[in-house]
Amino acid sequence: MRIAFLVAPEGVEQIELTDPWQAVVDAGGEPVLVSTDPGEIQAFNHLDKADTFPVQQVVGEASADSFDGLVLPGGVANPDALRTDEKAVAFARDFFDQGRPVAAICHAPWTLIEADVVRGRTLTSWPSLRTDLRNAGATWVDEQVSVCDAQPSTLVTSRKPDDLKAFCETFVAEFQKQSRPS
């Protein structure tokens, strides 16, 4: 499994990047950090700066068809920045267009709202996104993890860092079911 992790240059919630990243590694997969700018991204622990991580691919040069799935970590500033970047939004939308699985946690569904891919789907998120998701045509549920397998692709979502264990176990299992043979 080759999995894209799409994040903005700053604002990603570190644990929502590192725990899913490690879950992909533990499953024998290859996580790839994709961002809107080259260099490094600045992660945060809530509002405090945390570690930096090297960008492996720039979103304008990356293609959804070279990945088996997409993970969208949260943090308030991260998806807010991504949803204003046309290339990032198009990259996320391409996974749905190609029927590839996507996993999003916390505030990350903001990027999916902008990509117009939540209509008719059931998902969860940080509670403050509930109205945004409903206005975008989604059904919002308050659950630790939600799996929506409505076509064209499976969408796994969770609410917050406390849900990470269930989120990681669920998205890895779903991604493995759908990954292409090497």
Side-chain angles (χ1 to χ4, degrees), residues 92-100 102 112 117 121 152-153 155:
R93 186 183 309 110
D94 285 349
F95 281 85
F96 288 87
D97 292 346
Q98 295 180 23
R100 298 183 197 284
V102 174
L112 301 179
V117 295
R121 292 182 165 270
S153 65
L155 175 59

Side-chain angles (χ1 to χ4, degrees), residues 30-117:
E30 176 193 358
V32 178
L33 189 63
V34 180
S35 189
T36 55
D37 293 330
E40 292 183 331
I41 62 107
Q42 174 67 62
F44 280 74
N45 291 325
H46 192 52
L47 299 175
D48 299 321
K49 283 187 177 182
D51 298 323
T52 59
F53 298 89
V55 172
Q56 294 168 281
Q57 281 195 282
V58 175
V59 76
E61 300 164 3
S63 173
D65 59 8
S66 66
F67 295 99
D68 296 302
L70 171 65
V71 174
L72 295 167
V76 178
N78 176 52
D80 194 49
L82 289 176
R83 68 183 176 163
T84 64
D85 185 289
E86 290 179 19
K87 290 178 182 175
V89 171
F91 183 70
R93 186 183 309 110
D94 285 349
F95 281 85
F96 288 87
D97 292 346
Q98 295 180 23
R100 298 183 197 284
V102 174
I105 187 167
C106 202
H107 289 78
W110 266 339
T111 306
L112 301 179
I113 290 168
E114 193 66 33
D116 195 24
V117 295

Side-chain angles (χ1 to χ4, degrees), residues 170-182:
T170 303
F171 91 75
V172 166
E174 290 296 325
F175 283 26
Q176 286 175 326
K177 283 195 262 184
Q178 298 181 43
S179 73
R180 302 168 293 190
S182 355

Side-chain angles (χ1 to χ4, degrees), residues 143-157:
E143 296 173 359
Q144 187 177 42
V145 66
S146 173
V147 178
C148 181
D149 55 10
Q151 294 302 320
S153 65
T154 298
L155 175 59
V156 178
T157 52

